[in-house]
Amino acid sequence: MTRFFLMICLLFQIFSVAAADFSFGLISDTEMAVKKYQLDSVSNAVVLNEYGTARFVFDDQRGELNIAFTYHVRLKIFNKEDPRQANIQIPLRISDEKVEYLENLKAVTYNFRDGRKTETWLDPKNTYQEALSKYVKLTKFSMPDIQDGSIIEYSYQITSPLIYNFRTWRFQADIPKIRSEFEAIIPATYTYNVIMRGPYKLKEQKSSILREGFRLPGWPIDCSRMIYIMENIPAFIEEDYMTAASNFKSAIYFELATVYLRNGSKHHYTKEWKNVDRELLTDRSLGGQIKQEGIFEKMLANIITADLNDLEKARAIYTYIKNQIKWNAYYGVFSEFGIKKALERHEGNIADVNLALVAALSAARLDANAVILSTREHGIVNKLNPVISEFNYVICQLNIGGESYLLDASDPFLPFGMLPLRCLNDQGRVLPIGKPSYWIDIKSSMKHHTNYVLTGELSNDGILRGKIKITSFNYAAYLKRKEIASYPNIDQFIEKKKEESVGTEIVEANVVGVDSVDVGVIENYQVTIKLFDSLPSEDAYFNPFILNKIGKNPFTLSERTYPVDFGNLSEESFEMDITLPSGYDLVSKPADVNMVLAERGGQFINRIKLENNHLRCDQVLRFNKMIFAPDEYLSLKEFFSRIIQLEKADIVLRKHI
């Protein structure tokens, strides 16, 4: 990440800057001739040109300050069967009853037939709005008459009263771009920190001063004009095991630092944590909720007893909050209803749930603090300056006997001390009452751990009759319970397993440990597996990777510019013990291997042997670290490729002559 600061009216010299939007509808011969784009031959579209500008405007009628953002893009479609680039969504934000609004939308599709250009314009009646959440609504439309080779072009303006973050400009998208340009015009009375993210550098950056470029009633103000240009930008391709794409896409962010007022005073938005601590802990929707211990003092007599130790008390309170307040799936670091009302409604946002947990634990004289964080899909928090809008979630930190536990009471399937994967994202900020806040790592020592055991006897008819036992621990058990809960009952879960078991007949089954989140989940299956029509007189072949085959490499990119983030440690083990009919030798098998990644970050073990008529197979795949840097990507990709190649090898049995 590169960070630099805009010091309005102090750092810029006056010089002319040539920047302008490209002409709407003026398609060049070069653009018409573009084929599959040279930077990315697999993308179904390419941005030919993109221009945006953001500037302050004053609404005289409403007497309010807005940011006017104008966007104009032209792109070429190579494959009409991929609808993503022709189905447009324009997000409009809503915050504190302030709403962005869209205007001046125009959109057209150009096709080229027999040397002639045809134009099909979007009918404004074919646009519609959809609520994405209570904070965002979408204006949506589909471009008309899309063909292979179509060029589409559209532009619009968004007027926004939300001036804090100015306007983010994303150079990188899921298709390549030939050129992307952004122009920012900011009055000298506003100072922003500018943050450049992503792996690609600007082609060009220009700056100048516009004299009296903005005017409040009776007050002309000089403006800083910045132009940022990037060219030949590869597509950002999302792959498994990553946090928010916004962490890694090349983009430019603006963060309000200081506003200079007309009377000569100034207001600092970029603050130190000590100032933010005070604001948060005195806010009635955060600190005010934590301090409502009195709500729980009478309740505690029904939740805990004097003979319990501190950890047992904490577990009981944790279970009580999980049962009393159902999470309504809304994020936020501020309480939506307040603890008292959330308890009455038995419902609340994530802050209602977990701030109630902090208050209840504190009422029991336990050391509990709120921790604010950003979820994986929301992005990594910038730690140089505190920006509250970058946090979207709150959990509880509990300190007992020298141990620290991170708790989230929002999910009935979460055991004490386990965070959901959405929370495992870099660091969070602890907000202790009466002490300075501080950073902590948000991670879990618990593994995603699954053990498979297959035991049975192979008969001369080629049928393996035996038992499969699958034990899921920690995160694997958590996900298994959620999967089972998606069915009306366990019987229907088992029926679905029977339907999915191709080549394996499940004769009987049972599942134990579902109702207690603190133990593993055990699935027991009595099975018959047809390995052969009958054991042949010559060689018999079968694949031993029956239960836990990887099959497909999750990593397919030639290069990955962002880390692989598994979220948690993992281990998957497989044990097989098959009794063979008498008189068979093991002729061939997948190789015995012990592959280890650098610094023992990952390991795969495979061992197969025939001993006293028992065919035994042991496999282990484990990852001892959660995050692999981009320069480790190819090694990780090769690691999986070698495992998949090994999985293709069969066991070969041969009858004694």
Side-chain angles (χ1 to χ4, degrees):
M1 180 188 299
T2 301
R3 189 174 185 85
F4 51 97
F5 299 89
L6 303 179
M7 302 303 293
I8 306 300
C9 293
L10 294 178
L11 298 183
F12 296 106
Q13 296 180 348
I14 302 173
F15 56 91
S16 62
V17 179
D21 191 2
F22 54 97
S23 299
F24 199 104
L26 189 61
I27 312 296
S28 69
D29 292 339
T30 301
E31 289 173 325
M32 286 189 287
V34 169
K35 304 298 183 185
K36 277 281 189 177
Y37 187 50
Q38 61 267 24
L39 271 185
D40 182 354
S41 61
V42 298
S43 288
N44 290 325
V46 59
V47 170
L48 302 171
N49 207 344
E50 179 184 51
Y51 177 85
T53 182
R55 65 187 305 158
F56 280 76
V57 294
F58 185 77
D59 188 327
D60 292 312
Q61 291 183 341
R62 299 183 182 182
E64 71 176 11
L65 191 62
N66 293 307
I67 292 175
F69 170 68
T70 302
Y71 181 73
H72 180 193
V73 66
R74 182 183 297 153
L75 56 90
K76 189 165 188 176
I77 304 293
F78 298 126
N79 181 5
K80 67 179 181 180
E81 303 303 324
D82 183 352
R84 290 174 297 172
Q85 306 308 322
N87 293 336
I88 313 302
Q89 298 183 4
I90 303 172
L92 300 171
R93 296 172 295 170
I94 306 166
S95 177
D96 297 328
E97 299 183 354
K98 294 182 178 180
V99 180
E100 297 181 328
Y101 57 92
L102 179 72
E103 52 190 343
N104 301 329
L105 171 65
K106 59 179 181 178
V108 60
T109 300
Y110 307 105
N111 285 302
F112 305 89
R113 300 182 179 95
D114 302 324
R116 297 179 59 190
K117 182 179 77 171
T118 63
E119 300 179 359
T120 307
W121 288 83
L122 173 72
D123 187 339
K125 295 179 181 178
N126 294 330
T127 66
Y128 63 98
Q129 291 194 344
E130 178 182 298
L132 181 64
S133 71
K134 62 182 180 180
Y135 305 110
V136 178
K137 64 179 180 179
L138 301 174
T139 295
K140 303 175 73 172
F141 57 90
S142 296
M143 298 296 295
D145 194 21
I146 296 298
Q147 306 294 327
D148 290 350
S150 293
I151 291 177
I152 67 175
E153 185 171 19
Y154 59 91
S155 65
Y156 57 82
Q157 179 175 304
I158 294 175
T159 301
S160 173
L162 310 176
I163 66 172
Y164 182 82
N165 292 106
F166 197 61
R167 196 76 200 184
T168 296
W169 182 258
R170 294 175 175 85
F171 291 102
Q172 199 171 15
D174 58 352
I175 59 172
K177 298 181 181 181
I178 294 177
R179 179 181 171 86
S180 179
E181 179 175 341
F182 180 60
E183 180 181 7
I185 299 174
I186 301 176
T189 49
Y190 286 80
T191 302
Y192 283 83
N193 298 329
V194 182
I195 304 167
M196 186 74 191
R197 284 183 181 172
Y200 301 108
K201 295 182 179 180
L202 294 169
K203 171 74 173 179
E204 198 169 357
Q205 178 182 342
K206 306 173 184 178
S207 59
S208 66
I209 289 177
L210 295 180
R211 293 299 185 192
E212 300 186 7
F214 174 68
R215 182 178 294 272
L216 290 172
W219 189 18
I221 302 171
D222 293 343
C223 292
S224 170
R225 182 188 188 196
M226 287 78 64
I227 296 170
Y228 308 94
I229 301 171
M230 194 175 286
E231 294 181 350
N232 298 322
I233 312 157
F236 184 89
I237 301 175
E238 295 191 23
E239 200 174 45
D240 289 344
Y241 307 113
M242 62 176 289
T243 55
S246 60
N247 292 332
F248 314 111
K249 289 182 179 179
S250 288
I252 193 162
Y253 296 81
F254 295 80
E255 175 188 293
L256 185 58
T258 306
V259 175
Y260 295 86
L261 304 177
R262 194 166 187 171
N263 62 10
S265 64
K266 57 185 177 181
H267 181 74
H268 294 287
Y269 285 84
T270 299
K271 302 176 182 178
E272 297 180 359
W273 268 109
K274 62 181 180 181
N275 306 116
V276 175
D277 293 349
R278 187 184 311 112
E279 289 182 16
L280 292 177
L281 293 175
T282 56
D283 190 293
R284 64 181 183 85
S285 296
L286 200 161
Q289 299 303 312
I290 296 172
K291 297 168 186 174
Q292 293 196 41
E293 301 173 14
I295 294 176
F296 295 99
E297 288 178 351
K298 291 183 180 179
M299 298 180 190
L300 287 177
N302 298 319
I303 303 172
I304 59 176
T305 57
D307 61 325
L308 299 178
N309 62 36
D310 284 350
L311 187 56
E312 290 169 336
K313 290 177 182 178
R315 288 179 177 273
I317 292 170
Y318 173 76
T319 301
Y320 176 82
I321 296 297
K322 280 205 301 182
N323 293 335
Q324 289 299 309
I325 306 177
K326 181 181 179 181
W327 179 42
N328 62 12
Y330 282 110
Y331 293 176
V333 299
F334 298 103
S335 172
E336 181 178 6
F337 301 115
I339 292 173
K340 187 175 185 298
K341 193 171 182 179
L343 286 166
E344 293 169 354
R345 294 169 58 102
H346 298 287
E347 179 191 28
N349 74 349
I350 196 65
D352 288 317
V353 175
N354 286 328
L355 295 181
L357 178 61
V358 175
L361 291 168
S362 298
R365 303 299 177 260
L366 299 175
D367 181 8
N369 301 309
V371 182
I372 56 175
L373 57 85
S374 174
T375 55
R376 289 169 71 87
E377 71 274 13
H378 190 247
I380 293 176
V381 172
N382 161 37
K383 299 185 188 67
L384 293 179
N385 293 308
V387 180
I388 297 306
S389 61
E390 293 187 349
F391 298 87
N392 70 328
Y393 206 93
V394 61
I395 59 174
C396 171
Q397 179 202 55
L398 173 68
N399 302 304
I400 294 179
E403 294 290 330
S404 184
Y405 302 86
L406 297 179
L407 307 176
D408 184 344
S410 66
D411 192 327
F413 301 105
L414 279 173
F416 184 90
M418 178 187 286
L419 292 177
L421 181 62
R422 61 180 172 266
C423 292
L424 303 180
N425 186 37
D426 195 45
Q427 291 188 315
R429 191 80 178 183
V430 182
L431 303 173
I433 300 290
K435 297 179 182 178
S437 64
Y438 57 92
W439 294 104
I440 58 166
D441 292 333
I442 305 294
K443 60 184 181 181
S444 176
S445 60
M446 296 184 182
K447 288 184 178 182
H448 185 288
H449 186 187
T450 308
N451 175 247
Y452 302 87
V453 178
L454 169 61
T455 58
E457 184 172 348
L458 181 63
S459 57
N460 287 313
D461 60 3
I463 302 296
L464 173 63
R465 296 173 175 85
K467 297 179 180 179
I468 295 174
K469 180 181 179 181
I470 305 173
T471 307
S472 302
F473 304 95
N474 298 330
Y475 279 99
Y478 163 70
L479 294 175
K480 183 64 67 176
R481 288 188 180 93
K482 290 182 75 72
E483 179 188 359
I484 293 171
S486 68
Y487 294 87
N489 52 56
I490 290 182
D491 290 339
Q492 292 198 29
F493 166 76
I494 291 172
E495 281 302 313
K496 185 65 174 178
K497 291 298 178 185
K498 289 180 179 180
E499 294 174 9
E500 295 173 345
S501 299
V502 179
T504 299
E505 179 186 357
I506 297 176
V507 181
E508 291 183 14
N510 68 77
V511 184
V512 297
V514 175
D515 297 328
S516 175
V517 298
D518 295 315
V519 299
V521 177
I522 302 174
E523 302 166 74
N524 293 300
Y525 301 99
Q526 185 176 323
V527 299
T528 61
I529 304 173
K530 187 175 183 179
L531 296 183
F532 322 99
D533 290 330
S534 62
L535 278 171
S537 57
E538 298 180 352
D539 292 350
Y541 299 79
F542 76 94
N543 191 281
F545 298 88
I546 296 173
L547 298 178
N548 60 335
K549 196 170 188 175
I550 295 174
K552 182 180 179 182
N553 197 329
F555 306 114
T556 59
L557 301 177
S558 58
E559 178 187 27
R560 179 159 160 161
T561 59
Y562 51 93
V564 173
D565 189 332
F566 289 114
N568 45 41
L569 307 177
S570 67
E571 181 170 328
E572 191 173 89
S573 56
F574 171 68
E575 305 167 43
M576 182 176 71
D577 188 339
I578 299 176
T579 303
L580 301 179
S582 59
Y584 279 87
D585 293 326
L586 180 60
V587 177
S588 180
K589 62 184 180 66
D592 289 352
V593 297
N594 183 5
M595 294 189 293
V596 181
L597 288 169
E599 300 177 352
R600 303 195 67 83
Q603 184 177 23
F604 176 74
I605 299 171
N606 182 69
R607 296 191 184 95
I608 299 174
K609 63 182 178 180
L610 180 62
E611 188 175 63
N612 298 326
N613 217 40
H614 283 258
L615 182 64
R616 294 189 171 93
C617 176
D618 293 290
Q619 297 160 6
V620 178
L621 174 62
R622 65 169 62 96
F623 289 98
N624 301 316
K625 69 177 186 177
M626 293 174 280
I627 300 175
F628 291 80
D631 60 3
E632 298 176 287
Y633 175 74
L634 293 180
S635 296
L636 191 62
K637 178 181 176 181
E638 176 63 19
F639 180 74
F640 274 90
S641 294
R642 291 177 63 186
I643 295 173
I644 292 167
Q645 191 63 36
L646 186 72
E647 290 176 342
K648 297 177 181 179
D650 288 333
I651 283 175
V652 181
L653 302 174
R654 181 174 297 167
K655 181 76 172 177
H656 290 327
I657 299 176

